[in-house]
Structure formats: structure tokens, C-alpha cells
């Protein structure tokens, strides 16, 4: 068995398996069988509960080089699909852990082991194959027998928030290449996506880089959307001043800034709805984040304000004034959420990104608090309302809600129950329960979420950045029209693809999109082309070295180990009096755990004892022969 594993590993190190996965394109059934085999291996590897931290330790006694070799050999001719299958096995172990609390610890350890193995195997793979390993998309057979949607190892890791895998240098190299557009995706038939190197598709010139498809690059998308969002904030600030500037008019038409605001709001609604259905169709609900919820809230408020404004314009008299007032009241609630999205402008900085992750985790953890709060609030509200109704007359039920909220916000209205000792006592209980019990539970949950993120801030941020990058290009869309220009696509371009009467051929439709995008986005495309043609990394590495300096400590070269002295001021003197190999002989083996070192020493002692025993037996036999 050890010989077979060695042969398999040698094949993997020389390139990959005998037959390339790209040419085979294994089906869902094949990959499902490999996933089940990996699950069986993991069940044997970890039959009992093991501390998760010891599994992820670089010198782990669980994930040893021998274990990694066994898993690589278990994949046979499907080496490139091994990380994907390991991450799928992790997802299944996590499902088992969440649905079987009695074995949660065991299955959690197995899930972490699969993720650690995926990271280590990618690290040991051929560097030329890293891009294919991370980005090649596969299908597997689901429990109900249906085929899953196509997904890559990188996408599966993002969906599961695999911080161990996504924080590896290999994963981040691919993510950074996607972010800068060095890797681009090609949409094939059946929504299959293939990643290729952009530099291989064209020459290094201005006109070669004047390409509408570059608008889909996450870095340029981010810059474009940030610019549009700042303009949207300016338009909103002007639109909410409309009641102040037209206090004497009847407001029989929309203000010009209101038109800009609602047109841009419509474009954001179209973009978010398209993204929502696309992610549900091609990805999974796990791809949605905290900012998707903020986007839906923003879209809903803008849409409601617009409807109320239109109703007010169509009404007359006091009714028109009423709906106009309600419209601007709803519009005022948009302000906190749209200014909150400014945080995403600076989430490229590690500190801001980490704090953003903390806030999202805290809001997620607060679900327990609000579940307890809602149950208790219903009980106390019903009790207070019953006490109020005991005398035959009641105040509006909304009063009870206001009193409970005021007590929750540390401003209780005890005077309201001054005439009812029983009501005052029950109100005391509500104030005590919320102030002493529930709020302390919420503080504990927030503290736990904050410490979990901050203790692993680097890995958490790298996983967040990977999710942000892939989220911008994940939905299969060959022609990206960023908002608000997606209105042009929705009402003028898309009908030429969808409607049978106006349908264009695929070639003509692509040509139309290129012409339209080249005209609409001529300014940003010109800036992108100038930037890319003038900053080719292959031609201007000397400029990068001049500004940033060479990374002289990156490589371990033989000349650095035993340097020679060529100095006229130090003739006859040497640095390498003691050879490098002699210096490192006394170093401990930090790549193996202390248990592995002890076992190695024990095995050496056993070998020496075996040799000594054989020699003693030979001496005894020779002595008996002479006698």
C-alpha cells in the first residue's frame, strides 16, 4: 500500500493524474462516489471526537504527511477534483453535525479535517494547476437523486465560509487574479463557466484593452458602483429638500432631483431583483449576505415612497397633501440605510472589513435575543391589556406596545400604571426581565460574536474578500450594465433577446451589446484601457520594484546559504566558516508534532534493538557451535 501511495504522489507531483480532469469532465455520479469514499476515509481517521484546534495545527498529529498521501491516492485519476470533493464532504459532515446534536463534536472535527486536507492538498499541487483546481466547476448527485448546480471548489468554500481554505495563499492568488481581471470567465453553453488568463486573449495595447467586457472585472465594478452611489447620495440629498424649497406650490409634478432619484432607485431594484433570482437559480441561498438584506430594505422604501408620491400627484385637496407628506416621511427612512452602505466603500481596508463582519455576525446572533423578546413581549402585552380591560374600558392596544418599547429602551412610564397596583407590578417584572436578563443575554451574544471574529481576523477578512470578489462575477451574465445603465439593457436591449418577434441571432446580439456598451461607457472604458495598457506587469516590473522594492527574502537560493566574501576591506575573512548543512543539523523538526518526533525516535530505537538482538543471536549460535 505504501508503494502505491508513493507512486500516486509522484504522479501528482510531476503534473497531475495520468488523465487530465479537464479532458474527462467527470459526471455527478463519479464525483459522488469519490465524495463517499472520502467520507469513509474520514470516519476511519476520526472515529472519536478530537479538538478542532489540534486538527488545524500545522504540526497536527491527525493530518500528517502520511494521511495527506493516503487521501491523494484515494482520488486516483481525479486529483484536480479532490479539493472540491473534500469540501463537499465537509458540507455533508456539517449537515450531520447540525442534525445530530449527540455527535456534533465528532462530525465537526471530521468537517474541519476535510477542509484542512483540501487546503494542504491544494498547497502540494502543481502551481500551474492551481487555477483549474480552484475554478473548475463540477456537479454532484444530491441526496434526493437530483443533480446539483455547477460549482467550483472556490465557490463551495465561499458558500460554507471556509476560513481555513480561503485564507490560504493559493486561494487568495486566484481571488486576487479575479479581482484585478487577470483571470476572466467565459460563459459557455448550459451556464458552464471557464476561467482563462486575460493576457492570453489579446495584445498589450490600448485598443486591445478597450473592451466592454472589462466592466465585469470586480475591481472596476467596485469603482464604478462607488462613484454612482456617491451621485445617488447627492441626488437624494437634493430630493429631500424639495418640500423646503417649494413650500408655496401645489407640487403638481415631480422635482427634477426626484426624477433622478426614482430613476436610479428603479435601476437598483432591477439589479437587485435580477441578482436575487440569478443566485437562487444558479447558486444557493447561502450566497446572500447582510448587505443583500439592506438592499432589499432600501428598494422597498424607495418603491413605497414613489407609489405614495404618485398617489399624491393623482389626488386633490387634503388627500394630495396627506400622501405627499407620507411619501417624504417614508423617504426619510431611506437615509440611514443608504448612508450605511458607505461602509462598503472602505471595506477593502482590513479594519473596516473586519468591523463589518463583526456587525453582520452580531445581527445574526441577535436572533436568539429577539426570539425570546418576542415571546415575552406577547405574554406581557396580553397581561397588561387584560388588566386594563378589567374595569370595563381600555385604551388603544398600541399604547401597551409603546409602554413595552419604552421600558425596553430604558425609559419606562411607571406613572401610567399609578392607579393599578397589579399593572404596575407586572410592568416592574417586564422592566426587570428586559434590563437584567434579556439585555445581558444580548451583550453576551455580541461579545461572543466579536471575539470569534477578532481572534481570527485575518482569515475572516480574507474569506469576506473572497466572497465579495466572487459575488460580483458569480451570476452568469455576458454583458454587464452597471446601474443605472441597466435600465437601457432591461427596456431596449434585453427584448431583442427574449421576445420572439424582435429576436436577434447570438452573433448579432453580441455585436449590438458591444456597440452600445462602447458608446455608453466610453469614458470608463478609456480610463481602463489607458490604465491596463500603461501598467503591464510583464513590461513594467522595474517600476513596481522601484516604488515597492524587491522582495529579497522571498526565495531560498543556494547562493544565499553559503555566501562568499568579495570585499577588498575584508580580505581573507569568511562568513561561511561553518557550512549551512552543519548549522541546520541541530535545528528541531518544526514540520512535525512532538508526538511524531517521539514515535520516530522510538522506531529508531526499535530498529537498533532489532539489529542488536540479531547480532546477539548470531553470537550465541556461533558460541554453541564451538562448544
Amino acid at each position: 500500500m505504501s508503494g502505491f501511495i508513493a507512486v500516486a504522489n509522484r504522479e501528482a507531483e510531476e503534473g497531475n493524474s495520468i488523465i487530465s480532469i479537464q479532458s474527462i469532465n467527470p459526471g455527478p455520479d463519479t464525483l459522488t462516489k469519490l465524495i463517499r469514499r472520502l467520507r469513509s476515509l474520514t470516519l476511519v481517521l476520526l472515529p472519536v471526537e478530537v479538538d478542532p484546534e489540534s486538527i488545524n495545527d500545522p504540526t497536527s498529529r491527525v493530518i500528517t504527511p502520511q494521511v495527506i498521501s493516503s487521501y491523494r491516492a484515494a482520488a486516483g485519476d481525479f486529483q484536480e477534483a479532490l479539493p472540491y470533493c473534500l469540501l463537499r464532504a465537509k458540507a455533508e459532515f456539517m449537515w450531520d453535525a447540525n442534525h445530530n446534536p449527540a455527535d456534533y463534536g465528532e462530525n465537526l472535527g471530521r468537517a474541519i479535517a476535510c477542509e484542512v486536507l483540501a487546503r494542504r492538498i491544494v498547497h502540494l499541487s502543481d502551481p500551474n494547476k492551481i487555477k483549474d483546481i480552484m475554478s473548475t466547476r463540477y456537479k454532484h448527485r444530491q441526496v434526493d437523486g437530483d443533480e446539483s448546480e455547477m460549482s467550483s471548489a472556490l465557490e463551495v468554500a465561499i458558500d460554507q465560509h471556509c476560513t481555513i481554505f480561503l485564507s490560504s495563499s493559493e486561494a487568495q492568488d486566484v481571488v486576487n487574479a479575479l479581482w484585478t481581471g487577470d483571470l476572466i470567465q467565459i460563459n459557455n453553453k448550459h451556464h458552464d463557466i471557464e476561467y482563462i488568463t486575460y493576457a492570453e486573449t489579446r495584445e498589450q495595447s490600448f485598443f486591445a484593452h478597450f473592451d466592454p467586457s472589462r466592466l465585469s472585472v470586480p475591481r472596476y465594478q467596485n469603482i464604478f458602483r462607488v462613484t454612482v452611489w456617491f451621485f445617488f447620495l447627492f441626488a437624494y440629498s437634493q430630493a429631500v429638500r424639495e418640500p423646503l424649497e417649494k413650500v408655496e406650490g401645489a407640487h403638481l409634478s415631480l422635482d427634477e432631483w426626484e426624477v433622478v432619484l426614482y430613476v436610479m432607485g428603479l435601476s437598483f431594484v432591477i439589479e437587485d431583483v435580477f441578482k436575487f433570482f440569478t443566485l437562487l437559480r444558479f447558486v444557493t441561498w447561502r450566497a446572500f449576505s447582510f448587505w443583500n438584506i439592506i438592499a432589499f430594505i432600501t428598494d422597498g422604501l424607495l418603491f413605497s415612497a414613489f407609489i405614495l408620491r404618485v398617489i399624491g400627484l393623482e389626488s386633490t385637496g387634503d388627500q394630495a397633501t396627506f400622501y405627499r407628506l407620507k411619501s417624504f416621511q417614508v423617504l426619510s427612512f431611506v437615509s440611514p440605510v443608504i448612508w450605511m452602505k458607505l461602509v462598503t466603500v472602505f471595506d477593502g481596508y482590513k479594519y473596516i472589513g473586519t468591523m463589518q463582519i463583526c456587525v453582520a455576525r452580531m445581527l445574526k446572533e441577535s436572533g436568539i435575543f429577539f426570539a425570546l423578546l418576542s415571546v415575552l413581549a406577547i405574554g406581557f402585552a396580553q397581561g397588561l391589556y387584560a388588566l386594563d380591560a378589567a374595569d370595563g374600558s381600555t385604551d388603544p392596544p398600541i399604547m401597551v406596545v409603546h409602554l413595552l418599547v419604552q421600558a425596553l429602551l430604558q425609559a419606562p412610564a411607571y406613572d401610567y400604571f399609578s392607579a393599578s397596583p397589579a399593572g404596575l407590578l407586572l410592568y416592574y417584572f417586564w422592566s426587570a426581565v428586559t434590563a437584567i436578563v434579556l439585555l445581558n443575554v444580548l451583550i453576551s451574544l455580541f461579545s461572543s460574536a466579536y471575539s470569534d471574529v477578532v481572534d481570527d481576523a485575518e482569515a475572516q477578512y480574507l474569506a469576506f474578500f473572497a466572497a465579495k470578489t466572487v459575488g460580483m462575477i458569480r451570476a452568469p451574465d455576458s454583458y454587464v450594465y452597471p446601474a443605472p445603465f441597466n435600465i437601457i439593457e432591461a427596456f431596449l436591449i434585453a427584448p431583442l433577446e427574449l421576445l420572439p418577434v424582435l429576436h436577434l441571432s447570438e452573433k448579432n446580439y453580441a455585436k449590438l451589446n458591444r456597440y452600445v456598451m462602447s458608446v455608453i461607457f466610453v469614458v470608463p472604458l478609456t480610463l481602463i484601457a489607458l490604465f491596463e495598457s500603461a501598467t503591464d506587469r510583464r513590461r513594467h516590473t522595474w517600476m513596481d520594484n522601484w516604488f515597492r522594492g524587491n522582495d529579497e527574502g522571498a526565495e531560498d537560493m543556494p547562493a544565499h546559504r553559503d555566501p562568499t566574501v568579495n570585499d577588498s576591506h575584508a580580505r581573507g575573512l569568511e562568513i561561511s566558516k561553518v557550512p549551512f548543512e552543519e548549522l541546520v543539523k541541530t535545528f528541531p523538526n518544526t514540520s512535525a508534532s512532538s508526538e511524531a518526533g517521539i514515535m520516530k525516535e522510538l522506531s529508531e530505537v526499535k530498529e537498533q534493538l532489532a539489529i542488536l538482538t540479531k547480532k546477539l543471536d548470531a553470537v550465541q549460535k556461533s558460541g554453541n557451535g564451538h562448544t
Side-chain angles (χ1 to χ4, degrees):
M1 178 63 186
S2 61
F4 171 74
I5 293 176
V7 171
N9 289 337
R10 189 161 54 250
E11 290 176 354
E13 291 172 359
E14 289 175 355
N16 56 354
S17 54
I18 298 175
I19 307 175
S20 174
I21 201 76
Q22 292 285 71
S23 60
I24 297 177
N25 190 17
D29 294 328
T30 302
L31 290 182
T32 302
K33 292 177 181 178
L34 178 54
I35 292 170
R36 292 173 179 171
R37 190 182 198 199
L38 297 174
R39 277 178 54 88
S40 300
L41 280 174
T42 308
L43 289 169
V44 175
L45 175 67
L46 294 173
V48 296
E49 183 176 350
V50 179
D51 184 12
E53 293 184 0
S54 66
I55 297 175
N56 191 30
D57 195 306
T59 60
S60 173
R61 61 182 180 86
V62 178
I63 311 299
T64 62
Q66 293 77 16
V67 171
I68 297 174
S69 299
S70 297
Y71 273 83
R72 296 180 73 183
D77 291 329
F78 302 98
Q79 293 289 326
E80 285 96 346
L82 183 54
Y84 170 84
C85 293
L86 281 169
L87 293 173
R88 284 301 318 161
K90 180 202 171 176
E92 295 183 7
F93 277 125
M94 287 305 302
W95 190 93
D96 295 339
N98 293 326
H99 290 79
N100 187 6
D103 292 334
Y104 180 84
E106 292 88 337
N107 287 311
L108 177 62
R110 293 161 187 160
I112 293 176
C114 289
E115 183 180 352
V116 172
L117 283 163
R119 172 173 178 163
R120 304 279 175 85
I121 289 171
V122 170
H123 180 70
L124 295 174
S125 301
D126 184 1
N128 297 324
K129 288 290 182 180
I130 297 296
K131 180 195 71 175
D132 295 331
I133 292 173
M134 301 291 284
S135 61
T136 302
R137 310 182 95 212
Y138 307 101
K139 291 183 179 181
H140 68 278
R141 185 72 62 183
Q142 296 177 333
V143 178
D144 56 2
D146 296 334
E147 293 184 2
S148 67
E149 294 294 340
M150 299 199 71
S151 185
S152 63
L154 186 63
E155 292 169 331
V156 172
I158 290 172
D159 291 339
Q160 299 181 55
H161 194 65
C162 298
T163 56
I164 298 173
F165 184 83
L166 294 174
S167 61
S168 65
S169 59
E170 292 78 17
Q172 288 301 309
D173 287 342
V174 175
V175 169
N176 288 324
L178 292 172
W179 173 260
T180 59
D182 293 338
L183 276 181
I184 59 174
Q185 63 180 17
I186 303 298
N187 298 324
N188 301 324
K189 293 183 179 180
H190 307 295
H191 304 291
D192 184 17
I193 294 176
E194 180 183 355
Y195 291 95
I196 62 173
T197 304
Y198 181 70
E200 297 175 356
T201 63
R202 61 200 64 244
E203 299 177 354
Q204 187 65 23
S205 63
F206 172 82
F207 292 102
H209 284 271
F210 190 86
D211 183 5
S213 65
R214 297 306 282 169
L215 286 173
S216 63
V217 173
R219 176 170 61 180
Y220 304 137
Q221 279 192 58
N222 190 62
I223 296 173
F224 190 89
R225 289 174 178 175
V226 166
T227 304
V228 169
W229 195 255
F230 274 114
F231 180 76
F232 177 71
L233 288 176
F234 179 77
Y236 174 83
S237 301
Q238 297 299 316
V240 293
R241 289 176 56 86
E242 187 264 352
L244 182 65
E245 295 176 352
K246 295 184 178 181
V247 293
E248 297 179 357
H251 313 291
L252 299 179
S253 62
L254 291 173
D255 181 80
E256 58 272 12
W257 285 110
E258 286 186 279
V259 174
V260 174
L261 173 68
Y262 289 124
V263 168
M264 296 188 70
L266 175 63
S267 69
F268 294 142
V269 171
I270 294 173
E271 183 179 55
D272 293 332
V273 170
F274 174 77
K275 185 181 295 184
F276 175 78
F277 285 106
T278 304
L279 289 178
L280 282 183
R281 179 183 177 187
F282 298 108
V283 192
T284 173
W285 60 269
R286 294 185 180 87
F288 291 94
S289 64
F290 168 73
W291 293 111
N292 294 113
I293 299 175
I294 296 296
F296 291 143
I297 294 174
T298 306
D299 297 340
L301 291 174
L302 285 173
F303 184 75
S304 301
F306 175 72
I307 294 298
L308 291 171
R309 188 77 171 96
V310 172
I311 294 175
L313 293 175
E314 296 296 326
S315 304
T316 58
D318 294 339
Q319 192 176 19
T321 304
F322 172 79
Y323 282 110
R324 175 180 168 277
L325 174 63
K326 292 299 180 183
S327 172
F328 280 97
Q329 286 178 343
V330 173
L331 194 62
S332 65
F333 281 92
V334 179
S335 180
V337 288
I338 63 176
W339 281 95
M340 186 189 304
K341 290 195 70 172
L342 277 181
V343 177
T344 60
V345 175
F346 305 101
D347 60 10
Y349 296 98
K350 178 183 171 183
Y351 180 79
I352 302 298
T354 304
M355 291 302 100
Q356 180 178 326
I357 299 170
C358 287
V359 172
R361 182 72 66 86
M362 288 176 180
L363 293 176
K364 182 179 179 180
E365 295 292 340
S366 63
I368 299 174
F369 166 77
F370 286 108
L372 294 173
L373 179 65
S374 60
V375 173
L376 289 175
I378 293 173
F380 277 96
Q382 188 176 22
L384 291 173
Y385 183 77
L387 287 173
D388 188 30
D391 58 359
S393 62
T394 61
D395 291 329
I398 193 64
M399 282 298 300
V400 177
V401 177
H402 286 316
L403 292 170
L404 294 178
V405 173
Q406 288 173 7
L408 180 64
L409 299 178
Q410 307 300 308
Y414 296 116
D415 294 339
Y416 184 83
F417 299 98
S418 58
S420 174
L424 185 61
L425 180 61
L426 191 59
Y427 196 56
Y428 281 149
F429 280 141
W430 166 255
S431 301
V433 168
T434 54
I436 298 175
V437 179
L438 290 183
L439 290 180
N440 281 289
V441 170
L442 181 63
I443 293 171
S444 300
L445 292 172
F446 280 1
S447 176
S448 176
Y450 180 82
S451 61
D452 289 343
V453 173
V454 173
D455 290 345
D456 195 22
E458 290 79 9
Q460 291 285 348
Y461 175 73
L462 292 176
F464 162 77
F465 180 72
K468 176 180 178 178
T469 301
V470 176
M472 290 184 178
I473 60 175
R474 195 166 187 179
D477 189 3
S478 301
Y479 314 104
V480 178
Y481 288 79
F485 299 98
N486 57 344
I487 294 179
I488 299 175
E489 179 189 22
F491 294 102
L492 298 179
I493 305 299
L496 300 178
E497 180 187 22
L498 302 176
L499 298 180
V501 179
L502 304 175
H503 183 72
L504 294 176
S505 65
E506 184 177 351
K507 181 178 180 181
N508 291 332
Y509 184 73
K511 186 181 296 184
L512 173 65
N513 275 279
R514 291 185 64 86
Y515 286 153
V516 172
M517 295 179 71
S518 298
V519 173
I520 296 176
F521 303 110
V522 60
V523 174
L525 289 177
T526 301
L527 296 176
I528 291 172
L530 286 172
F531 173 75
E532 292 187 345
S533 61
T535 58
D536 182 13
R537 296 179 182 178
R538 296 168 297 176
R539 296 170 53 189
H540 300 284
T541 53
W542 64 271
M543 186 177 295
D544 291 338
N545 294 334
W546 184 42
F547 282 108
R548 295 185 299 179
N550 293 318
D551 187 4
E552 298 180 356
E555 297 182 359
D556 180 18
M557 301 178 63
H560 297 165
R561 295 191 169 194
D562 291 314
T564 58
V565 177
N566 298 319
D567 189 351
S568 60
H569 299 286
R571 295 184 182 277
L573 303 179
E574 296 182 12
I575 294 176
S576 307
K577 284 189 174 183
V578 181
F580 187 85
E581 298 297 332
E582 294 293 331
L583 295 173
V584 300
K585 283 183 178 180
T586 58
F587 286 9
N589 185 9
T590 55
S591 62
S593 64
S594 57
E595 293 89 347
I598 294 173
M599 295 301 296
K600 181 179 179 181
E601 293 178 359
L602 287 175
S603 62
E604 292 176 353
V605 171
K606 287 181 180 180
E607 291 178 358
Q608 293 175 1
L609 286 175
I611 295 172
L612 181 60
T613 302
K614 288 181 180 180
K615 290 183 177 180
L616 289 174
D617 291 341
V619 171
Q620 289 179 357
K621 289 180 181 180
S622 62
N624 293 333
H626 287 299
T627 57

